[in-house]
Structure formats: structure tokens, C-alpha cells
Amino acid sequence: MTRWAPDAALRLEAAALDLVAEQGYAATTVPQITHRAGLTTRTFFRHFADKRDVFFLRDREFPRVVAAALEGLPAETAPLAALQQGLERATSPLAQWREPILRRRAVIRAEDQLRERELLKSGHLADAIAEALVARSRPGTEVTPAEARLLASVAVLVFDRALDSWLDGPPLSPLSAHLADAWRDLAALFGP
Amino acid sequence: MTRWAPDAALRLEAAALDLVAEQGYAATTVPQITHRAGLTTRTFFRHFADKRDVFFLRDREFPRVVAAALEGLPAETAPLAALQQGLERATSPLAQWREPILRRRAVIRAEDQLRERELLKSGHLADAIAEALVARSRPGTEVTPAEARLLASVAVLVFDRALDSWLDGPPLSPLSAHLADAWRDLAALFGP
DNA sequence: CCACCTTATGACATTCCGTGTCATGATGGC
DNA sequence: GCCATCATGACACGGAATGTCATAAGGTGG
């Protein structure tokens, strides 16, 4: 597909993470990042909308992955069950990325500018989930747009919480277990 | 208190809202805003951390208001009930601000840069709520920090949803009714 | 009434962010 | 081999955001 070095975005991401680990986010400039990656400043902004975006390269396709997982489920599956199963399937590949995700989270947590971008990405994930829920809505398991938005918000809340406890927990505990815990904790607030 | 014109921040906010309504957010520059408010660019950044922040002047004290409402409740009130009552009390003054809140939401919805800032403010609200829940935790209605964060996330989700449906609904419907609806909708997902 | 301190603002300089535009070189189709 | 395409380089430029010093307004204590 791409001709030149196909990993320009990945090189920029790696350079950015290195520099931020050394100097912090504020002290790291885009020219520094591009110089380390062997590129120019202008090229950086062709791959990323702004300086913050370089730290969210991996999140770009995740909404589509979750949406695809949802639409791949049997039509009879009720919305809430579909969210549980869809999240579990979409997140299973994350197991092998635990360490880089951990390092990236440390960077994001340290800077409000990155934290708000992370929240926006979660918002986009919720949008994609809501859209997918409406798309797979069938007579019998009907989902209105308003219900879909609520379900999607809840799903993202559960996902974020499960991801956090997974990253904070022992290295080998499966993410799926933390997802189940998060669903159970939430239901326990309203159930008996 | 303040000596010069005590309303510099308010003037800047009004000028910014006017200009954005006329030209859109991207086309509006900070020099334009400050010129209309009769101030200089440098003064803008003394009142607001960045260009986006001018649209969130009103949200600054809201986390403290909610936290105060929570801590003003009887210690016996269970956490979930405390959140319901606390939100209802803290939001009751919003009734008179419906129109300006509506205009502001239209501006924020139109721009991702403002939407992500709004999400960060919601995050700060959740932080304040979680902290307040832990602070009012008593033997009998014990709340761990992890539970508090979950409860706070749920409360913010409910608040955001109720605010949206309130703004989308008829002008005179009380916000408290939309809050109750949002709590009921959420519980219905997990209850019977 | 006067020196003094505090504080909001103005004025100026500077760095970096982000974008528009055109040129260049590499690639692949035909 | 010619040409269209696309990633990148090079250059220019306006705006965001900050550091620093100066100034004016007001309050305070003598």
C-alpha cells in the first residue's frame, strides 16, 4: 500500500513516547519528535491532527472493531448481552499489548491535555457502539436511538473501568474477568 | 474584591459567544475576543487557561456545589440515594439558566475541541463526587474509593443524560423529572 | 495626606502549534 | 518508458500561549 517507509506514523509514535518519557509532555516539541523519527514537522501533521493525537494511534480502529464485533453477533442476542459479548471479543487481542498500553496510560494520566483527548476517544467509541446497536436492532430486540446511547455510555463506562483494573492488577489476569467484574459491580448498584 | 471592572471574565465570555455565533469557533481569534471586550490578548490568558476555556466559565464551581450538596446530606443516607438527592439539589438553580445553557451547548456540540473540554469537565465533576462520597463514608454506609469512583461515574452519566433530555424537551419541564427518568432508565437495564 | 503594598492590566518579545502551498522524488499502472 | 499518484520536503505565515517588565488603580498604615 504505502510506498516509502510504511511506518512513518509508528516511528513518530515511538519517538514521541521516548521523548515524553525523558522530558515530559510539555517540554517535548513536535520538531523534536520529527527530528528523532527522521521526518519533518510538516509530515507530522499529515499523520496526526495535532500534537496530542500521536499518543492515540492505536485507538483509531478500535471503534470499528467493537462495532464489527457487535454486528457479528446473532440477531436474537439481547442488547445488553450483545454488549457484554461484543466487548469481550473486541478486547481479547489487547492481552498481548498490556505493557505498551500501561506505559501509554502513564503518559496520558500525567497531562490533562491528553486526558481530555482520551475522553473524546471514549466518546467516539460510544458513538460507534450506539450506531451499531441501532443497526442490529430487530423486531423482538428493538433498540431506540435514545436507548442505544444509554447502553453505549454504560458499555464504555464498563470498558474503561475494566481496562483500568486490568492494568492495575497482576500481569496475567485476563481482561475478560475484569470486564465481568465491572458488569457485575454496576448491576449490583441497582439489583438487589 | 476586584478593583477595575470586576467582570472582565464575563465580558470575555460574552464577546466570545457572540463572535462564535457570528463566525464559528475556528474563525474566531483571541485578539478578536479581547478587542470586543476592551482588553488585551495577554489579559485573556490571565483569566482562561486557553482559548477553549472561555466557554466553560460557569462550570468552574459546579463540582464544589455538588460536593457540598453531598456532604450536606444526613450521614445515614445510602450512597446511591445521596447521589440522587445531591444531584437534584445541586442542579435546581439551573432552571433559570436554561436558555444560555442551550446556546452554549450548541457551540460546544459543533466543535470537537470544545466537546473534549466538556468531557474533561465532566471528569473533574466525577472526581469531586468520588471524593465527596469517600469523605461522607460512615460505618454502616461504607464506601471504598473504588466504589466511589464507580458511583461517581454513574452519577455523571445520569447527570449528562438528564441535562441533555432537559435541554431537548419542552422549556418548562423540570430538570428534576429528567434526572428521575435517567435514574429509572439506567436501573431498568439491570433490574427486572 | 503620603509612602507602600497589592493586584489587574498593558506592552513587548518569543516560542511553538498548525496550515496552505508548491516542489520533488519514489512508486505503480498502462 | 510515460504519466498519474502519493508521501514527503521546503518555505511561509497567522494564531496560540507564555515570560517579563512596566503601569495604573486601589487599599492600608502611618
Side-chain angles (χ1 to χ4, degrees), chain A residues 97-178:
Chain A
W97 299 103
R98 188 172 179 275
E99 287 306 322
I101 292 173
L102 251 175
R103 278 190 292 114
R104 211 200 53 159
R105 189 184 65 157
V107 171
I108 293 171
R109 285 280 171 86
E111 203 78 21
D112 259 11
Q113 294 204 347
L114 298 179
R115 192 165 133 72
E116 69 181 348
R117 178 56 51 87
E118 184 180 40
L119 293 168
L120 182 64
K121 298 288 183 178
S122 287
H124 290 158
L125 175 59
D127 294 342
I129 291 175
E131 200 176 333
L133 283 178
V134 171
R136 72 183 290 282
S137 174
R138 297 284 184 284
T141 61
E142 199 94 32
V143 180
T144 70
E147 289 168 347
R149 281 197 299 276
L150 175 59
L151 285 160
S153 298
V154 168
V156 169
L157 194 161
V158 165
F159 169 68
D160 286 343
R161 191 172 171 80
L163 194 68
D164 259 0
S165 78
W166 177 57
L167 292 173
D168 289 330
L172 292 182
S173 70
L175 175 51
S176 61
H178 291 272

Side-chain angles (χ1 to χ4, degrees), chain A residues 21-33:
Chain A
E22 297 169 11
Q23 316 170 334
Y25 173 79
T28 302
T29 70
V30 174
Q32 285 175 346
I33 297 170

Side-chain angles (χ1 to χ4, degrees), chain A residues 42-117:
Chain A
R42 191 63 185 87
T43 297
F44 180 95
F45 290 105
R46 289 198 182 94
H47 285 274
F48 306 102
D50 53 39
K51 179 181 168 185
R52 290 168 251 158
D53 212 40
V54 72
F55 301 103
F56 299 90
L57 178 59
R58 320 284 178 144
D59 300 56
R60 284 183 181 168
E61 45 183 350
F62 191 60
R64 306 189 72 85
V65 171
V66 176
L70 285 175
E71 301 188 20
L73 288 169
E76 315 86 60
T77 310
L80 198 64
L83 286 176
Q84 294 170 347
Q85 296 172 33
L87 273 186
E88 186 156 338
R89 294 190 190 186
T91 57
S92 63
L94 293 185
Q96 62 185 116
W97 299 103
R98 188 172 179 275
E99 287 306 322
I101 292 173
L102 251 175
R103 278 190 292 114
R104 211 200 53 159
R105 189 184 65 157
V107 171
I108 293 171
R109 285 280 171 86
E111 203 78 21
D112 259 11
Q113 294 204 347
L114 298 179
R115 192 165 133 72
E116 69 181 348
R117 178 56 51 87

Side-chain angles (χ1 to χ4, degrees), chain A residues 88 158 162 175-186:
Chain A
E88 186 156 338
V158 165
L175 175 51
S176 61
H178 291 272
L179 274 171
D181 286 351
W183 282 113
R184 184 178 40 68
D185 289 350
L186 186 57

Side-chain angles (χ1 to χ4, degrees), chain B residues 11-95:
Chain B
R11 293 207 320 272
L12 289 167
E13 182 201 29
L17 286 171
D18 287 349
L19 284 165
V20 166
E22 298 170 11
Q23 317 172 333
Y25 174 78
T28 302
T29 70
V30 174
Q32 284 176 348
I33 297 170
T34 55
H35 181 261
R36 181 167 297 204
L39 295 167
T40 62
T41 302
R42 191 64 184 90
T43 297
F44 180 94
F45 291 103
R46 289 201 182 92
H47 285 275
F48 305 102
D50 53 39
K51 180 181 168 185
R52 288 168 253 159
D53 213 40
V54 72
F55 301 102
F56 299 90
L57 178 59
R58 320 283 178 143
D59 300 57
R60 284 183 182 168
E61 47 182 349
F62 190 60
R64 305 191 71 86
V65 171
V66 177
L70 285 175
E71 301 188 22
L73 289 169
E76 316 86 62
T77 311
L80 199 63
L83 286 176
Q84 293 169 348
Q85 297 172 32
L87 273 186
E88 188 156 338
R89 292 189 190 186
T91 57
S92 62
L94 295 184

